[in-house]
Amino acid sequence: MDTIVNFRTFIAVAQAGSFSKAARQLGIAASVVTKRIDQLEWRARTRLFERSTRRLALTDEGQRLLPVARRIVHDVEDAFGSALGHAHELEGHLRIKVPTSLTATCLGDALGRFLEVHPKLSMDVVVIDRPVNPIQEGFDIVVGMLPASYDSVLEAGLCPLPRMAVAAPSYLAARGRPAHPTDLARHALLNFQPTGPVWTFQGPNGPIAVEVTPRLSTNDGHVLLNSVLRGNGITILSAYIVDGALGRGELVRVLEDFAIPEYWIRALVPHSRAHLGRVQALLSWLRNEFTPLPPWARHESCGLPAFS
């Protein structure tokens, strides 16, 4: 249990930013804090803090260890609480990965309300658009839209995610409307990098793959939306991003007769984390947010601001 005690002290020092402040919060002498950190650094065979007379900062190794230490401490507390049958509020730490645009439009608000309901929980929210293996990168839950599967990881589907090709009326007035996906070769195209340089449509005789040479390529849906609203070209975006602009007439759909394969918003949870109460609570919260209808289908405040 010495390691758990040392981890608790390490977390307190990292949060307080000083050995003396952490000692006061823990109700122990500063010399005891120093001894525990020294023991932890000896065990880790590396320094966890850069120490000087003016500042205390985590080293790179310390930054990598901090989320691990939090999970271990909270798991031990969960285990004792379950074994003793304690009924208490959810507490502990969650580390989750979320996609950029979905978080800005819908998910950020949902996570904020989750924390409001569970005041004893803390959370690291890492915004990344690439696929992430939650086990390798140390996440409790990974929310994503791009297809990816990993060993020993539970996949929980939250909702389908329709995608559509759109353009501004001003662009279509100047360049014309494509009648077939192959017509896109004569158009300016705006591409979402994580989905790759090939746009796939479903035609009457099967899939139609179009390799695009984009005028704009970006990994941020906000940038794509801004550019397509300015009449810079045609793009493919998800429903939650474009529904508001379509409703206001700022964008129109193109190639509607050629369906674009939809994605699924999914939560990936390591099997080793799925039993934790706080992980189960967040997963249930996310399911309630997106099922049976996602926020954009319920016409709730989900979406980017009107273009101006």
Side-chain angles (χ1 to χ4, degrees):
M1 294 298 289
D2 285 346
T3 300
I4 301 299
V5 171
N6 292 344
F7 273 158
R8 286 195 179 100
T9 305
F10 169 59
I11 294 166
V13 172
Q15 290 175 338
S18 108
F19 280 38
S20 57
K21 287 182 181 178
R24 288 194 295 271
Q25 292 172 3
L26 294 170
I28 57 179
S31 60
V32 175
V33 171
T34 301
K35 180 179 178 181
R36 290 177 181 176
I37 298 302
D38 287 344
Q39 288 175 344
L40 200 56
E41 289 181 331
W42 179 85
R43 187 76 181 272
R45 301 294 192 272
T46 187
R47 296 193 68 79
L48 302 175
F49 292 98
E50 295 288 353
R51 313 178 204 187
S52 71
T53 56
R54 291 188 297 177
R55 64 189 295 268
L56 179 76
L58 286 166
T59 62
D60 291 342
E61 293 80 6
Q63 290 176 347
R64 286 194 290 269
L65 182 62
L66 183 58
V68 177
R70 282 173 170 159
R71 286 200 302 274
I72 291 172
V73 168
H74 292 315
D75 285 354
V76 169
E77 291 171 349
D78 282 349
F80 278 115
S82 298
L84 297 174
H86 290 168
H88 57 272
E89 290 183 81
L90 283 178
E91 54 185 298
H93 190 74
L94 287 163
R95 187 168 188 259
I96 70 170
K97 172 267 176 189
V98 293
T100 304
S101 297
L102 184 67
T103 302
T105 57
C106 305
L107 199 51
D109 178 67
L111 295 176
R113 287 185 281 107
F114 178 77
L115 284 179
E116 186 179 15
V117 171
H118 301 290
K120 292 188 177 180
L121 285 176
S122 61
M123 185 181 294
D124 286 338
V125 178
V126 180
V127 182
I128 307 173
D129 282 322
R130 61 175 171 81
V132 166
N133 182 330
I135 295 177
Q136 291 183 352
E137 302 197 34
F139 288 100
D140 296 301
I141 294 181
V142 163
V143 179
M145 296 171 282
L146 301 179
S149 297
Y150 306 100
D151 292 337
S152 301
V153 174
L154 168 73
E155 298 183 30
L158 300 179
C159 75
L161 184 61
R163 298 185 300 148
M164 58 200 73
V166 296
S170 60
Y171 173 86
L172 298 178
R175 299 287 298 271
R177 180 187 290 265
H180 190 274
T182 55
D183 295 340
L184 293 172
R186 299 189 294 273
H187 284 269
L189 304 179
L190 317 173
N191 188 48
F192 186 56
Q193 283 176 350
T195 61
V198 176
W199 293 3
T200 302
F201 300 83
Q202 186 65 37
N205 299 316
I208 303 169
V210 179
E211 188 166 354
V212 301
T213 302
R215 182 183 181 198
L216 170 69
S217 184
T218 178
N219 65 347
D220 192 310
H222 298 74
V223 175
L224 277 184
L225 180 64
N226 193 314
S227 194
V228 72
L229 284 167
R230 291 184 180 277
N232 288 328
I234 296 171
T235 192
I236 292 176
L237 283 170
S238 300
Y240 71 89
I241 296 181
V242 298
D243 271 3
L246 288 171
R248 295 187 295 269
E250 297 167 347
L251 293 176
V252 296
R253 294 187 63 176
V254 298
L255 299 172
E256 292 182 78
D257 294 334
F258 299 88
I260 298 172
E262 67 183 14
Y263 288 154
W264 266 80
I265 299 176
R266 300 176 305 153
L268 306 181
V269 183
H271 287 164
S272 60
R273 315 295 297 166
H275 69 284
L276 298 174
R278 58 186 180 276
V279 173
Q280 293 176 1
L282 179 54
L283 185 57
S284 177
W285 186 274
L286 293 174
R287 283 177 169 142
N288 288 336
E289 286 292 314
F290 291 98
T291 305
L293 290 175
W296 59 89
R298 299 194 301 264
H299 304 291
E300 294 182 359
S301 56
C302 178
L304 299 172
F307 178 69
S308 59

